[in-house]
Amino acid sequence: MKLSLGPVQYYWSREDLLDFYRQVADMPVDLVYLGETVCSKRRLFRFDDWMDTARMLRDAGKEVVLSTLALLEAESELKTLRRICANGEFLVEANDMAAVQLLSAAGLPFVAGPTVNIYNAATLGVLADAGLKRWVPAVELDKDTLAAIGQEAPEQVETELFAWGRMPLAMSARCYTARAYDLPKDDCQYRCLDHADGLTLRTREGEPFLAINGIQTQSALTCNLLPEIKTMDGLGIDVLRISPQARHTDRIVQAFAEALQGGSELPDLQRLMPVGGCDGYWHGEAGMRRHSA
Amino acid sequence: MQLVCPAGNLPSLKAAIDEGADVVYLGFRDDTNARNFAGLNFNDKTLAQGLDYVCGRGREVYVALNTYPRPQGWKRWQAAVDRAAEMQANALIAADMGVLDYAANRYPDLPLHLSVQGSATNYEALTFYRERFGIRRAVLPRVLSMPQVKHVADNAPMEIEVFGFGSLCVMVEGRCLLSSYAAGQSPNTHGCCSPAGEVRYEETATGMETRLGGVLVDRVGKGENAGYPTVCKGRYDALDKTYYAMEEPTSLNTLDLLPKLLAAGIAAIKIEGRQRSPAYVRQVTRVWRQAIDSCLSDPAGFQPRGEWMQQLGAVSEGQQTTLGAYHRTWQ
C-alpha cells in the first residue's frame, strides 16, 4: 500500500502553505494532492502557485495530483476548473461530476475524490469507461461494502481510502464560518484563516460534534484507521490517504509509514487530533462511533 | 410549467391529483427511494390503484429510485427499475450512475430524470449525465441563487426542474452525510435523513430535548415547538454562543420567484414532502396550482396573494419560510 497526502481542506495563509509543502517534500508519502477543494474565494494561493508547488514536489519524487472544487455553482468556478483540467502536466482529482465531464471529454485519466458518489461496482464501471484511474470511496462506506465492491471492480482501477482526518460530511451554498461571525458570505472577511483545523461545533452538553470549514461541514472527530491497517488485507486498497491538519501531520505520516512497513508498535495518536478520534463508518456504524481510533 | 407533487401514500396521491398536480412522484416501499419511512410509499396494490387514479385523469406518475445501492442491495434496485418500467412510469427519477446505466441500457424508452440526489449543480455535470444516460430532465439541488439557476437552465442540455416549496435541505443534496455520521443511516444509503429509530424526545427539567443517535440536537423551552431532529437544524455551541449554526427550522417557499422561474424556462416546479400528510399535500398543491395558473396568464402582473403565503406558512416547518439559496443574502 502507498501513502498519500490529501488536499488541505482549510484556508491557510500563503506562508503556512509554502512552509507545509516544503516539509512535505521530505515526508514519507508517495502521492500528494494539491489544490483548493472547498471555497473559490480562497485565493491566497493561485493556479501558478499550485503549479510551482506541484513541480517542486514532483522533483522531490512525489506523484502529484491536482485536486479540484467539490461544489461548483458559478461560471467563474467552472473556468478555474477548466484551467486545472487542462494543466497538461499532472493528473487531476475530480470532486464533482463537472470535472469528470471535462476530463473524460478531453480523454484524460482522472481520480474520483470522496465527494463523487460511487457506491457500487456498476458505477465504477461507468467511470472506468470515462477514464477513472483511482477512486476515493465516500467516507460513509464500511469495510464489508468496500470488500464487495472490490470483488467486482474493474481491474485497472485503484482504491484510495480516507484513513486519517476530519471527514468532509456536507457542503452548502451558505458559509457557516461567516454565519458564526454574523457576516454575510459576500463579506466573510476570510475568517476561515483563523481556524486552521476548522471551527469545532459542540453540542449543548459540550460534546465535540462537527467542525465548520466555510461552506463545508466536517466531523469534529478525526477518522483514524491506523489500527485497522492489519485488517485491510484482501480489500483491494492500494493507497491510504492522510488529510493534512494544522499541526503534527509529519508525525501522523510517520506513524502510518511505519505501520505499512510492518511495525508492530502502533503509537497512540489521540493527542495529535484536534478533539478526538472515530472509526464508526469503517465498522458499519454511525461515523462518530469509536472502536480503536 | 408543470407542477410536480409528492405522493407518500394513496390519499396524498389523490389529494394532489384532485387539486391539480400535473405529475405525482412516488416511491416503492423500501430503501430504494429517499423517503424510506415506516408506513410511507407504495406496494403493488396501492400502486395499481394510484396508477388508475392518475392515468384516468390524464396526469403523470414519476417513480423516485433515488438512493445509492451498495453491492448488497444491487439486485433490489435493479428489480425496482424493472418494476418502474413494467408499470410504464412516465419517468424514472434516479441518482446513482450504476442504476442510470442499467435503466438506460435495459429500457431505452423509459424517460430518465436526474434526481436532486444526483447532486448536479452545474451544466458541465449535467452534460455528463445527458451524454452517458440520455437524461431528459434534471432536478437542481437547493444551493443555487436565482441567477445561477437561470445560467444552468440556459446552458444545460436537458429540461430543468427546481424545488418550489417544502423542507429545506441546506446542504447540497446527495452529498450530505450528517445523518449517517450521527445515526448510521444517510439519504444516500438508506433513503432517510434522521432515521426514526435513532430519534429521541425527552422532557427534562430544562426543557424538551431532541436527540439523534444520542447527540443532543436541540433543547427547547416551554411553549417552543420541538421539531424533528435533523442535524442541520440543530442548536450548537461555538464562539461562546449557542445558536442555529446552519439553519433554523424553516421551509423553502419560492412563490415570489415564480415569474423569474418561468422566464428562466424552468420546466417544472417540485413540491417536497412525501413524508407529510395528505392535508399538507392538498393545501400546498391547491395554492401552487392557483399561483402557477395566475403566473402563466399574466407573468408581468403576478403577485403572490397574502392568503397563499399565509396558507403555506401554516404548513411550514417552524411556521416560517425562506427563499433559501435562491436569494443571495441567505447564503
Side-chain angles (χ1 to χ4, degrees):
Chain A
M1 262 189 280
K2 292 180 179 175
L3 265 188
S4 77
L5 201 60
V8 171
Q9 301 187 79
Y10 311 102
Y11 195 26
W12 293 352
S13 72
R14 188 182 162 77
E15 292 69 33
D16 286 351
L17 274 178
L18 287 169
D19 274 353
F20 179 73
Y21 283 115
R22 262 182 233 120
Q23 294 171 40
V24 169
D26 297 322
M27 288 184 199
V29 289
D30 307 285
L31 297 97
V32 182
Y33 290 75
L34 294 176
E36 177 56 48
T37 58
V38 174
C39 176
S40 57
K41 292 178 69 179
R42 299 173 174 178
R43 291 185 203 126
L44 288 174
F45 233 59
R46 311 295 284 242
F47 176 76
D48 291 338
D49 297 311
W50 289 117
M51 289 299 283
D52 289 345
T53 307
R55 291 179 191 119
M56 182 272 285
L57 289 168
R58 181 180 58 196
D59 292 346
K62 310 300 183 196
E63 183 184 332
V64 175
V65 184
L66 299 183
S67 202
T68 54
L69 211 59
L71 176 58
L72 294 116
E73 299 158 319
E75 188 63 37
S76 56
E77 293 163 347
L78 289 174
K79 197 176 155 200
T80 304
L81 180 68
R82 289 188 190 106
R83 194 167 177 202
I84 298 169
C85 291
N87 78 85
E89 290 180 59
F90 300 100
L91 187 66
V92 174
E93 175 181 66
N95 287 310
D96 181 83
M97 292 305 291
V100 172
Q101 168 61 18
L102 291 171
L103 293 159
S104 64
L108 293 166
F110 61 91
V111 179
T115 52
V116 170
N117 280 337
I118 300 170
Y119 284 82
N120 52 64
T123 297
L124 270 184
V126 169
L127 291 176
D129 283 346
L132 181 71
K133 176 184 164 68
R134 181 160 62 238
W135 71 299
V136 185
V139 296
E140 70 172 347
L141 288 182
D142 62 282
K143 63 181 167 194
D144 293 342
T145 298
L146 289 179
I149 294 174
Q151 301 220 319
E152 302 167 49
E155 203 154 297
Q156 74 277 21
V157 176
E158 296 179 339
T159 303
E160 175 170 342
L161 188 66
F162 188 101
W164 175 279
R166 284 184 150 178
M167 295 179 284
L169 296 179
M171 297 171 283
S172 174
R174 177 176 266 183
C175 176
Y176 300 123
T177 304
R179 180 175 168 85
Y181 286 97
D182 288 323
L183 293 168
K185 184 184 184 183
D186 289 335
D187 179 27
C188 68
Q189 300 175 17
Y190 305 104
R191 291 299 176 95
C192 287
L193 285 167
D194 298 334
H195 301 282
D197 283 316
L199 170 59
T200 300
L201 281 185
R202 292 177 183 271
T203 69
R204 290 158 81 180
E205 294 173 313
E207 291 295 322
F209 181 36
L210 301 170
I212 287 170
N213 176 35
I215 62 122
Q216 183 194 54
T217 305
Q218 302 182 325
S219 61
L221 301 179
T222 299
C223 166
N224 173 18
L225 299 182
L226 179 74
E228 301 296 331
I229 286 178
K230 56 187 182 298
T231 70
M232 289 178 190
D233 284 350
L235 295 181
I237 292 165
D238 304 282
V239 183
L240 294 182
R241 172 176 292 199
I242 292 163
S243 187
Q245 55 185 52
R247 297 168 62 218
H248 310 308
T249 303
D250 52 341
R251 292 169 66 186
I252 295 155
V253 166
Q254 193 63 41
F256 272 82
E258 283 168 16
L260 287 182
Q261 281 160 16
S264 53
E265 282 290 302
L266 282 185
D268 180 5
L269 301 181
Q270 280 278 322
R271 284 175 302 117
L272 308 185
M273 301 169 178
V275 293
C278 66
D279 54 7
Y281 279 138
W282 180 253
H283 296 279
E285 300 169 4
M288 65 181 184
R289 302 277 170 235
R290 176 170 184 247
H291 287 253
S292 50
Chain B
M1 181 186 268
Q2 281 186 332
L3 178 59
V4 182
C5 293
N9 54 31
L10 196 53
S12 289
L13 177 147
K14 290 179 175 173
I17 295 297
D18 291 349
E19 297 297 337
D22 300 299
V23 183
V24 289
Y25 64 101
L26 52 81
F28 301 133
R29 193 167 278 183
D30 60 18
D31 51 0
T32 59
N33 79 93
R35 289 292 182 279
N36 174 30
F37 288 105
L40 276 192
N41 299 316
F42 287 76
N43 60 24
D44 286 336
K45 190 179 159 204
T46 52
L47 191 59
Q49 291 172 325
L51 281 173
D52 275 352
Y53 200 84
V54 176
C55 300
R57 285 157 182 80
R59 317 297 170 75
E60 299 190 345
V61 174
Y62 297 165
V63 172
L65 200 70
N66 52 352
T67 46
Y68 290 82
R70 290 165 292 162
Q72 307 90 311
W74 177 250
K75 291 219 158 36
R76 204 163 62 257
W77 268 257
Q78 269 186 331
V81 173
D82 297 340
R83 207 169 154 200
E86 278 160 24
M87 66 177 257
Q88 298 185 306
N90 298 96
L92 180 69
I93 310 170
D96 179 75
M97 285 181 260
V99 169
L100 288 167
D101 188 53
Y102 173 76
N105 286 317
R106 186 72 186 266
Y107 304 104
D109 296 331
L110 176 64
L112 296 178
H113 292 186
L114 183 66
S115 167
V116 69
Q117 295 298 119
S119 210
T121 59
N122 57 75
Y123 62 86
E124 294 289 3
L126 292 173
T127 300
F128 183 89
Y129 290 98
R130 174 75 199 179
E131 290 182 356
R132 299 277 160 173
F133 315 115
I135 300 286
R136 300 194 194 174
R137 182 188 292 180
V139 186
L140 294 185
R142 282 158 276 190
V143 294
L144 300 177
S145 66
M146 186 60 229
Q148 288 169 343
V149 168
K150 182 172 183 340
H151 188 64
V152 171
D154 286 345
N155 291 282
M158 73 270 276
E159 292 181 348
I160 297 296
E161 177 173 318
V162 300
F163 276 90
F165 185 83
S167 283
L168 177 63
C169 272
V170 294
M171 305 299 182
V172 60
E173 293 93 331
R175 291 189 280 178
C176 177
L177 312 182
L178 294 177
S179 175
S180 66
Y181 181 64
Q185 299 183 12
S186 73
N188 283 7
T189 54
H190 292 75
C192 63
C193 175
S194 293
E198 296 286 330
V199 166
R200 296 279 178 275
Y201 292 87
E202 287 164 352
E203 190 69 57
T204 70
T206 47
M208 173 69 87
E209 295 184 346
T210 52
R211 290 177 187 272
L212 178 67
V215 173
L216 181 62
V217 172
D218 203 359
R219 180 192 294 139
V220 298
K222 296 261 186 285
E224 272 186 288
N225 211 353
Y228 191 78
T230 48
V231 171
C232 62
K233 311 263 174 71
R235 266 185 285 201
Y236 309 105
D237 292 346
L239 302 177
D240 299 319
K241 61 182 176 183
T242 301
Y243 69 119
Y244 290 108
M246 298 162 204
E247 177 57 308
E248 297 162 25
T250 183
S251 290
L252 176 74
N253 181 11
T254 66
L255 215 52
D256 281 324
L257 293 176
L258 208 41
K260 286 185 180 170
L261 292 169
L262 188 65
I266 300 303
I269 298 283
K270 176 166 245 158
I271 306 298
E272 189 276 346
R274 282 190 286 138
Q275 74 287 10
R276 301 290 300 264
S277 69
Y280 162 94
V281 173
R282 182 175 294 283
Q283 183 71 61
V284 177
T285 305
R286 182 185 297 159
V287 168
W288 276 85
R289 179 75 273 156
Q290 290 175 22
I292 290 175
D293 289 346
S294 161
C295 189
L296 287 172
S297 66
D298 178 18
F302 176 80
Q303 280 286 341
R305 288 188 210 146
E307 66 195 66
W308 294 342
M309 299 305 267
Q310 201 178 1
Q311 286 162 3
L312 294 178
V315 295
S316 296
E317 198 179 342
Q319 278 73 56
Q320 54 181 342
T321 63
T322 172
L323 281 170
Y326 289 102
H327 195 222
R328 182 74 193 176
T329 55
W330 176 92
Q331 301 189 13

